[in-house]
Amino acid sequence: MKKTQTKILLVDDEPDILEIVGYNLAQEGYQIVTASNGKEAIAKAQKELPELIIMDVMMAEMDGMEACEHIRKIPELNNVIITFLTARSEDYSQVAGFDAGADDYITKPIKPKVLVSKVKALLRRLKEQVIITDTLNVGGIEINREEYKIIKDNVEISLPRKEFELFYLLASKPGKVFKRDEILDKVWGNEVVVGGRTIDVHIRKLREKIGEDLFKTIKGVGYKFEA
């Protein structure tokens, strides 16, 4: 398999997981970097600047949730995709993962071929996002798609990747009702399975950060943005 320039950081405190997952992804040509805890993950991420981070949740020294929150605050890692790979499958754990800034949440055990497919899907979306550059001005809010930046009332608002993409989608057509399936497809992609509460959690965060009255719930259908 021809080696690519795509770099993946694997973070897990179980050496067997690092070895198995790393081997299968390396077979696909990806460059693999590893870390065994959250603190090491932050340092490796800053040094290596990976395109994708696959991280366990429960780890010594610093868990995956805290590490994810730290990484999301590092400017040079603005576009990195972060997915949790963990044995914890509870709904509240998944919601916490998305709140921390994760793009996806994958539960163990998972077959290597399925994991490779998910990785390819995540990286494919990253490539699609890179070529989209645009700026919207809606209701006095400037949304810079190229720089992942939002400015409202001359104040810059920082959003995690998925919150930004959801906001950009809704704001791209003010007044249009986006169905839940359409939102999942355009923001998360068909290949990635996320919990039913994922959209609701992200909308709640957007209301807190941008404005309660700007996001309308259409019961049983979806959401719309009203400037």
Side-chain angles (χ1 to χ4, degrees):
M1 180 64 65
K2 185 178 179 181
K3 195 168 186 178
T4 72
Q5 295 302 309
T6 302
K7 191 177 294 183
I8 299 175
L9 171 60
L10 301 180
V11 188
D12 204 299
D13 57 359
E14 295 184 35
D16 288 349
I17 296 294
L18 292 178
E19 183 178 352
I20 294 170
V21 175
Y23 171 80
N24 281 279
L25 291 175
Q27 287 294 101
E28 296 296 319
Y30 299 118
Q31 297 183 46
I32 306 301
V33 180
T34 62
S36 59
N37 60 64
K39 286 185 178 180
E40 187 181 356
I42 296 170
K44 286 282 184 75
Q46 285 183 289
K47 179 182 177 182
E48 301 290 344
L49 300 179
E51 281 80 13
L52 171 66
I53 299 175
I54 302 175
M55 185 154 47
D56 189 19
V57 172
M58 303 299 292
M59 295 181 291
E61 293 196 46
M62 181 186 289
D63 66 29
M65 300 286 186
E66 187 177 352
C68 182
E69 291 177 343
H70 277 278
I71 290 169
R72 284 298 181 216
K73 295 175 183 177
I74 301 171
E76 58 265 36
L77 293 169
N78 242 3
N79 294 324
V80 68
I81 294 176
I82 301 176
T83 182
F84 288 116
L85 177 61
T86 174
R88 300 194 62 173
S89 60
E90 308 95 340
D91 285 349
Y92 68 83
S93 182
Q94 294 188 36
V95 170
F98 288 118
D99 278 351
D103 297 288
D104 195 15
Y105 194 103
I106 304 169
T107 54
K108 303 174 185 174
I110 182 171
K111 294 180 179 179
K113 287 185 178 180
V114 177
L115 178 60
V116 168
S117 294
K118 282 184 170 287
V119 166
K120 288 181 177 179
L122 287 167
L123 292 171
R124 193 158 54 240
R125 294 210 313 274
L126 177 62
K127 289 179 181 178
E128 291 170 354
Q129 291 161 5
V130 168
I131 63 172
I132 300 174
T133 60
D134 200 0
T135 300
L136 293 179
N137 286 280
V138 184
I141 304 173
E142 180 182 318
I143 311 165
N144 189 315
R145 184 66 177 80
E146 184 173 13
E147 298 180 11
Y148 277 74
K149 183 187 297 183
I150 291 174
I151 299 176
K152 180 184 179 185
D153 299 328
N154 295 319
V155 176
E156 185 173 330
I157 301 172
S158 177
L159 297 177
R161 170 187 290 273
K162 288 305 174 188
E163 287 179 26
F164 182 95
E165 291 177 356
L166 175 56
F167 178 47
Y168 184 88
L169 174 66
L170 297 178
S172 67
K173 295 183 178 179
K176 170 183 165 59
V177 178
F178 286 88
K179 295 181 180 179
R180 297 176 69 89
D181 288 346
E182 184 179 3
I183 293 172
L184 286 173
D185 178 39
K186 291 185 175 180
V187 177
W188 279 271
N190 284 327
E191 302 92 343
V192 180
V193 179
V194 296
R197 292 188 57 198
T198 300
I199 298 175
D200 304 327
V201 170
H202 284 68
I203 289 289
R204 174 169 58 82
K205 291 292 185 180
L206 290 176
R207 284 172 170 156
E208 292 172 357
K209 296 174 182 178
I210 299 175
E212 184 73 28
D213 298 332
L214 297 175
F215 303 91
K216 304 296 183 182
T217 302
I218 310 302
K219 193 172 181 180
V221 181
Y223 293 95
K224 67 177 178 176
F225 176 80
E226 289 188 349

